[in-house]
Amino acid sequence: MPVINIGGYNRNVGITDTDDIFPFDFYHDGKKDSAYGSFAWQGDSSKLWEEKNFKFKAFKDPDGDEKLKYRPQPTFYKSHHFTLKAYYTDRYLVRDLVAAEIYSWFIASNPTAPKELLLANHFGTIQGTPVLVYIRGSFYGVFELNTKSSSDLWNMDKDNPDQIAIQGSINNDACKWVTAPTYGTDFELDSDNETNAASALKKLSDALVGVDDETFKANVTKMFNINSIADYYIFNRLINNTDCWGGKNVEYLTYDNGEHWFLMSYDFNTSMLQDWKPGMTGTPDRMLSISNMLIKRFVALFDAEIKARYAELEQLGVLNPINFCRELDKRVNEVGYDAYQMNEQRWPNNESYAEKEHLDDIKHMFVLRKGLLDKMLK
């Protein structure tokens, strides 16, 4: 397994949140690469749990003036900006990446998706590879080195202001399309060019907020890739995702300045029986209510379209739970028994290791939920 050893003398990045630049060594494929990187904490979980996630930017020089772009794995896009994810709430460390792989099958099976997205790396979903992280020579944990939300991920031209990705910042009414949102307060930019982000959001808000059902359906039909919303609903129900039905973790992509939109799901940590807290698990048959009014109204008004898409995905083999189970096994075996033991010994107070849930329970959940959706959508 590749190893990242973070150096530095004055601060321990596992204890202090900082954007300081540290030297690091990357051991992989029988060789050692040395460079510099900034390792700031990433995500809300880093504020809650003792093991931190990191936003990781690589540079050639200690001042951070020259970016170091590379591919941690041959299938990754070339970048200098990645995330190091501890997945403290997930004892197997793989739920996010298993779900992203499955989701890529949905997008690859959608010929109506934007050409840019179909040409994007991994169809616009993240990839990751397991690494051992050391801080100043001391083992810190098993991480996944992941690609991240950015223009690179969705094959957006950073110089084109019409190519935009936004998502809700908080789970409030504005981010759920109950009231009109404001850019910069309710919605934030996840791509790299914000020139037209506010005006594109305004177009979307005018189409979705405060309109009757007939107008809503006409606007969504005109402005959205219908398969993308149907896929969002089907996929997240299948993987038992909990943190996707409100205002956050919903990506809105446009490649033409808000004239047409593609809905994408992002961040699958609380799926496959995992809840937000270490050691907290969910039930395999739970069907959480939907508070995002775009998705909720779509489910109510586009029943025929959802069922038609479900039948199409079924025919293409995308919904086969056997493939879901194989992907889960593959990812877990990539981490390996020894690495899991190292992680558990390093973080003995992590309640995730006290869970009774086993891989076989996740596989059973896949099979069970496929049957539940068959009854709902066939």
Side-chain angles (χ1 to χ4, degrees):
M1 187 181 295
V3 172
I4 294 177
N5 181 37
I6 305 170
Y9 303 99
N10 298 322
R11 293 185 182 179
N12 185 328
V13 295
I15 298 173
T16 305
D17 187 12
T18 173
D19 261 327
D20 289 353
I21 295 176
F22 299 88
F24 74 93
D25 298 317
F26 185 35
Y27 300 86
H28 63 104
D29 301 317
K31 60 182 180 179
K32 171 186 171 182
D33 293 326
S34 297
Y36 300 88
S38 64
F39 296 86
W41 292 358
Q42 185 270 333
D44 294 336
S45 62
S46 290
K47 302 171 185 176
L48 296 173
W49 318 126
E50 55 182 341
E51 188 181 16
K52 310 305 180 184
N53 303 314
F54 300 109
K55 293 179 285 188
F56 167 40
K57 297 179 181 179
F59 302 98
K60 295 181 180 180
D61 64 291
D63 296 321
D65 294 327
E66 190 173 359
K67 297 176 182 178
L68 175 62
K69 293 190 175 184
Y70 69 106
R71 290 185 176 89
Q73 291 289 358
T75 59
F76 284 33
Y77 59 78
K78 198 172 186 179
S79 179
H80 88 296
H81 196 182
F82 299 93
T83 58
L84 280 165
K85 300 283 285 189
Y87 292 123
Y88 192 77
T89 60
D90 179 3
R91 64 185 292 188
Y92 298 113
L93 313 175
V94 300
R95 282 175 171 87
D96 199 21
L97 295 174
V98 169
E101 177 65 27
I102 295 169
Y103 195 37
S104 75
W105 305 343
F106 280 72
I107 298 170
S109 302
N110 182 4
T112 68
K115 180 181 178 181
E116 295 89 346
L117 188 60
L118 293 175
L119 289 170
N121 182 263
H122 206 237
F123 299 101
T125 64
I126 65 165
Q127 296 188 82
T129 187
V131 296
L132 303 178
V133 172
Y134 290 74
I135 297 178
R136 292 187 289 190
S138 297
F139 178 64
Y140 187 70
V142 183
F143 281 67
E144 294 282 354
L145 176 59
N146 293 357
T147 55
K148 64 177 296 294
S149 57
S150 66
S151 291
D152 286 334
L153 182 64
W154 298 302
N155 192 27
M156 291 181 171
D157 183 352
K158 299 178 180 66
D159 296 322
N160 186 342
D162 293 341
Q163 299 189 355
I164 304 160
I166 54 175
Q167 74 157 317
S169 306
I170 50 179
N171 274 313
N172 63 4
D173 282 350
C175 294
K176 298 173 186 176
W177 308 109
V178 177
T179 59
T182 301
Y183 177 73
T185 302
D186 304 306
F187 273 76
E188 61 189 13
L189 186 74
D190 277 345
S191 51
D192 299 321
N193 191 323
E194 71 172 349
T195 304
N196 294 338
S199 60
L201 175 62
K202 179 67 165 54
K203 293 178 188 177
L204 195 53
S205 175
D206 291 345
L208 300 179
V209 178
V211 298
D212 59 31
D213 284 349
E214 183 178 357
T215 304
F216 176 88
K217 188 168 185 178
N219 289 343
V220 169
T221 300
K222 178 183 178 182
M223 296 180 66
F224 272 91
N225 183 283
I226 297 300
N227 280 352
S228 75
I229 313 180
D231 286 355
Y232 185 100
Y233 175 73
I234 295 166
F235 164 75
N236 282 301
R237 285 301 194 205
L238 279 172
I239 68 167
N240 203 354
N241 196 2
T242 64
D243 196 14
C244 63
W245 306 115
K248 295 185 67 176
N249 299 327
V250 192
E251 294 284 354
Y252 303 84
L253 275 57
T254 178
Y255 293 86
D256 58 5
N257 193 24
E259 295 300 317
H260 301 91
W261 293 86
F262 192 96
L263 200 70
M264 286 197 70
S265 192
Y266 190 85
D267 192 343
F268 313 115
N269 297 339
T270 57
S271 66
M272 304 178 206
L273 301 178
Q274 180 61 53
D275 221 311
W276 69 273
K277 185 179 179 182
M280 182 184 293
T281 57
T283 58
D285 59 349
R286 61 184 173 184
M287 291 286 179
L288 298 184
S289 60
I290 303 171
S291 58
N292 184 302
M293 293 308 295
L294 166 61
I295 303 167
K296 184 174 184 177
R297 296 179 78 179
F298 181 87
V299 171
L301 298 173
F302 288 82
D303 181 68
E305 288 81 358
I306 295 173
K307 288 178 177 176
R309 179 59 175 162
Y310 191 82
E312 181 180 29
L313 291 167
E314 180 92 280
Q315 184 179 19
L316 293 169
V318 175
L319 308 181
N320 190 336
I322 293 174
N323 294 330
F324 293 14
C325 295
R326 287 173 177 165
E327 183 61 27
L328 178 65
D329 282 343
K330 184 183 82 171
R331 291 287 180 179
V332 168
N333 288 333
E334 282 180 0
V335 177
Y337 180 80
D338 290 343
Y340 283 125
Q341 291 294 106
M342 289 174 65
N343 219 40
E344 185 171 355
Q345 291 168 12
R346 176 61 179 83
W347 302 103
N349 296 322
N350 186 345
E351 295 183 17
S352 293
Y353 296 113
E355 292 175 11
K356 296 179 180 179
E357 157 264 314
H358 188 267
L359 288 175
D360 291 334
D361 296 308
I362 301 175
K363 295 175 185 178
H364 168 258
M365 182 217 74
F366 284 142
V367 176
L368 174 67
R369 295 187 74 82
K370 176 60 169 61
L372 293 174
L373 261 70
D374 282 349
K375 293 178 182 178
M376 293 167 55
L377 300 177
K378 279 190 173 180

